[in-house]
Amino acid sequence: MEVQLTPDQQAFARQAIEAGRIGHESDAVQEALALWEHRERTRLEVLAVVDRAEASLIRGEGRVIDERSMLELATEVKQRGRARLHARQILA
């Protein structure tokens, strides 16, 4: 496969080569593709989480969020955190 870089991309890659950050222009392309692949995998993971959340809401497993429910949730989280901390202190 041939890849054509823009003049700005070529200059950027040359600067990185001259600075010793990469060895060749192909290294820059490989790194760019690796970063793109990582971003795309992360995007797919986020979409999967959103799909699961939507399915959960369709099944009626969601929570209504209002001021009261936020305070209740905060209280629950604090209680669970305190219980974990207490359990760790007992084990230590």
Side-chain angles (χ1 to χ4, degrees):
M1 173 188 298
E2 279 191 41
V3 177
Q4 296 296 320
L5 301 177
T6 67
D8 286 342
Q9 292 168 331
Q10 289 175 353
F12 190 75
R14 270 195 298 277
Q15 288 173 354
I17 293 168
E18 291 167 4
R21 291 192 309 274
I22 60 171
H24 305 285
E25 286 179 348
S26 62
D27 296 336
V29 173
Q30 289 174 348
E31 186 172 339
L33 286 172
L35 290 169
W36 179 39
E37 181 180 2
H38 175 73
R39 185 186 73 196
E40 286 301 303
R41 289 182 191 279
T42 301
R43 185 182 68 82
L44 291 174
E45 290 171 5
V46 168
L47 290 175
V49 169
V50 169
D51 287 345
R52 286 194 302 272
E54 287 177 343
S56 173
L57 290 173
I58 290 169
R59 290 190 304 270
E61 298 171 355
R63 249 189 178 169
V64 174
I65 303 296
D66 58 19
E67 189 172 341
R68 190 176 117 262
S69 67
M70 287 300 293
L71 291 172
E72 290 172 358
L73 177 60
T75 300
E76 290 173 24
V77 169
K78 287 177 188 177
Q79 288 173 344
R80 287 194 306 261
R82 288 182 185 122
R84 284 184 184 169
L85 181 61
H86 181 69
R88 286 184 190 159
Q89 289 172 344
I90 291 174
L91 295 174

